[in-house]
Amino acid sequence: MATSRFVGYLESRKNITGSAAGLVGLVLTFTGVAGPYWPVVVVGLYGAGALIAPPERPPLPDFPDPSAQLDEVRGDFERLGDYLAEVDLPPAAAGRLTELTGLLTALLEPGWVAEILAQDPEGVHTLSRTVRQDLPEAVDSFVRARWWTRMTPGQEPPERHLERQLTLLQEEAERLATALQEMEARRQESHTRYLEDRSQQHP
C-alpha cells in the first residue's frame, strides 16, 4: 500500500510540476545564478512547483447513461409483461391495463422516441418507477385484496382501487408523452428560427 502511494505520488502532477521547477533551480545553479544557496533554491522551486500544480482529481463513478438505463427498464418491462399475462383481471381493469401497457410499449420501443426519452432523466425515472414499482404493486395488491374479499364479502370491490390506480398511471404516462412531444416541437421551432436567422444574415 505504501509503495503504491509512493509510486502514485511520483506520477502525480505535483511531483512532475515540482520536478520541472527543481530542474530550473539546477540550471540556475550550473549557470552560477543560485550561488552557494543553490540547495535552498532547488528545494524552494520544487516546493513552489508542487504547490501551484493542479490537484489530482479522482475518476468519476462509471454510472450507466440514460440509454443503458432504458435498456434495463425495457428488459424489466418484458418480464413484467410475462407476470401480467398470468393475472386474471376484470374486464374494465384489463382494458385500462391494455391501454397503459400499450403506451409504455410505445415509449420504450427502440428508435427515435426512446432517443428523445433518453435526453430526459426525469422521464426515464418515471418509466422505471412505473415498470418496476407502481404497476406490479397495483396488480399484486389487487390479487391479494381480491382473495380477502372472497373470504369476507360485502367490502368495497378491490377492482375499483385497481382501476383508479391504473388510470393514474395512465395519466402520468400520457403527461410524459406530452412532455416529449413538446420537447420535439421546441426542437423543430428552434431549427426554424435558426434557418430564419441565417436567411436574414445571408439574403
Side-chain angles (χ1 to χ4, degrees), residues 37-120:
Y37 302 103
W38 67 268
V40 177
V41 173
V42 172
V43 173
L45 287 175
Y46 175 88
L51 287 175
I52 65 173
E56 294 294 325
R57 187 170 61 88
L60 291 172
D62 186 19
F63 295 124
D65 60 27
S67 296
Q69 294 178 26
L70 270 183
D71 290 338
E72 294 177 0
V73 175
R74 194 175 294 117
D76 291 341
F77 183 59
E78 292 179 0
R79 286 190 289 274
L80 176 62
D82 295 338
Y83 161 74
L84 295 176
E86 298 179 3
V87 180
D88 181 26
L89 298 179
R96 293 186 184 277
L97 179 62
T98 299
E99 294 179 4
L100 174 58
T101 54
L103 181 52
L104 294 177
T105 299
L107 291 172
L108 287 169
E109 185 72 22
W112 64 272
V113 175
E115 292 174 0
I116 299 173
L117 179 59
Q119 302 173 23
D120 180 14

Side-chain angles (χ1 to χ4, degrees), residues 7 53 99 195:
V7 173
E99 294 179 4
L195 293 177

Side-chain angles (χ1 to χ4, degrees), residues 4-22:
S4 62
R5 284 199 298 266
F6 176 71
V7 173
Y9 178 76
L10 290 179
E11 298 174 347
S12 68
R13 294 189 183 95
K14 288 183 177 296
N15 182 55
I16 293 173
T17 307
S19 298

Side-chain angles (χ1 to χ4, degrees), residues 107 113 116-118 120 123 175-185:
L107 291 172
V113 175
I116 299 173
L117 179 59
D120 180 14
R175 286 194 297 270
L176 174 58
T178 300
L180 296 177
Q181 180 185 16
E182 292 174 350
M183 185 186 303
E184 193 67 7

